[in-house]
Amino acid sequence: MPRKKYRVVLTTEQRHQLSQLIAAGTVSARTLTHARVLLKADESPEGPAWTNARIGEALEVSEPTIWRLRKRFVEQGFEAALQRKEQARRKARKLDGAQEAHLIALACSQSPEGRERWSLRLLAERFVELGHVDEVSHETVRQVLKRGSSNRG
C-alpha cells in the first residue's frame, strides 16, 4: 500500500503571515520552528518544496516531527499546524479552588473527638458530609493537601 503524502501548499497570505511571525520572533521557539518548516515544505509555485530530510537537516528537526506537522496542516489547517496540540490525556481537576480552600480549612480545624489528628480518609468522609462534593477519595485529599503545604515555610 503506497504511503500517503501530505502536501503543504501555502497561499501568498499564509507565506506572508509565517514570514512576519519569524521576523517578529515574539512567539515560542516551537512555533517559530513550525513556521520555518512550513515555509520550507511549501509546494506552491513560490515555495521551495524541500524534502523532509533536507528540512530536518537544515532546521535540526526530526523527520517524524516534520511528517506530523505536514499531516496536521493538511488535515486540520494552517492555525492548527502552528498551535500546540491539545493534550488528550489531561484530566480535569476533581476540586475547584473554593473546594480546595474548604478542604484545607477543614484539615487545619480541630480534629474529631477521640482523634489526635485528621486522617486522609476521615477528611474525605467529613468533606462529603459537609456537602462540598458528592464523593472524594482520600488520594484526592492527599494531593490537595500536598500542593497546599508546599507554600508553607
Side-chain angles (χ1 to χ4, degrees), residues 4-10 14 38 41 43 66-81:
K4 185 176 181 181
K5 184 176 178 186
Y6 296 100
R7 298 183 62 222
V8 174
V9 181
L10 298 172
Q14 289 171 334
L38 288 174
E43 295 181 27
I66 298 166
W67 183 85
R68 284 190 303 270
L69 183 60
R70 285 178 179 266
K71 180 180 178 183
R72 196 167 342 143
F73 175 82
V74 170
E75 291 179 351
Q76 298 174 19
F78 179 72
E79 290 299 322

Side-chain angles (χ1 to χ4, degrees), residues 131-143:
H132 293 293
V133 290
D134 292 332
E135 63 181 8
V136 66
S137 71
H138 68 280
E139 177 61 15
T140 300
V141 170
R142 184 193 68 79
Q143 290 173 2

Side-chain angles (χ1 to χ4, degrees), residues 6-147:
Y6 296 100
R7 298 183 62 222
V8 174
V9 181
L10 298 172
T11 65
T12 305
E13 177 60 32
Q14 289 171 334
R15 287 187 62 76
H16 179 71
Q17 271 185 278
L18 292 174
S19 298
Q20 292 285 321
L21 199 65
I22 293 168
T26 56
V27 293
S28 69
R30 181 196 156 283
T31 302
L32 291 174
T33 301
H34 283 202
R36 288 184 178 100
V37 168
L38 288 174
L39 283 172
K40 297 299 182 193
D42 182 19
E43 295 181 27
S44 69
E46 301 97 39
W50 284 13
T51 63
N52 287 359
R54 188 168 175 201
I55 294 169
E57 188 176 314
L59 301 177
E60 297 181 356
V61 178
S62 71
E63 287 190 47
T65 298
I66 298 166
W67 183 85
R68 284 190 303 270
L69 183 60
R70 285 178 179 266
K71 180 180 178 183
R72 196 167 342 143
F73 175 82
V74 170
E75 291 179 351
Q76 298 174 19
F78 179 72
E79 290 299 322
L82 292 177
Q83 302 303 319
R84 182 171 289 277
K85 188 170 70 171
E86 187 68 32
Q87 296 293 319
R89 293 185 179 177
R90 184 162 295 175
K91 294 181 182 176
R93 295 178 72 173
K94 296 204 171 43
L95 302 176
D96 63 22
Q99 290 170 325
E100 286 185 8
H102 285 289
L103 179 58
I104 292 168
L106 178 62
C108 294
S109 69
Q110 183 67 35
S111 59
E113 183 106 11
R115 299 285 185 149
E116 189 175 321
R117 62 178 167 255
W118 286 102
S119 71
L120 296 176
R121 292 179 196 276
L122 277 174
L123 279 170
E125 288 171 14
R126 183 72 177 130
F127 197 62
V128 171
E129 287 172 13
L130 291 172
H132 293 293
V133 290
D134 292 332
E135 63 181 8
V136 66
S137 71
H138 68 280
E139 177 61 15
T140 300
V141 170
R142 184 193 68 79
Q143 290 173 2
V144 168
L145 295 177
K146 183 176 181 180
R147 269 197 313 271

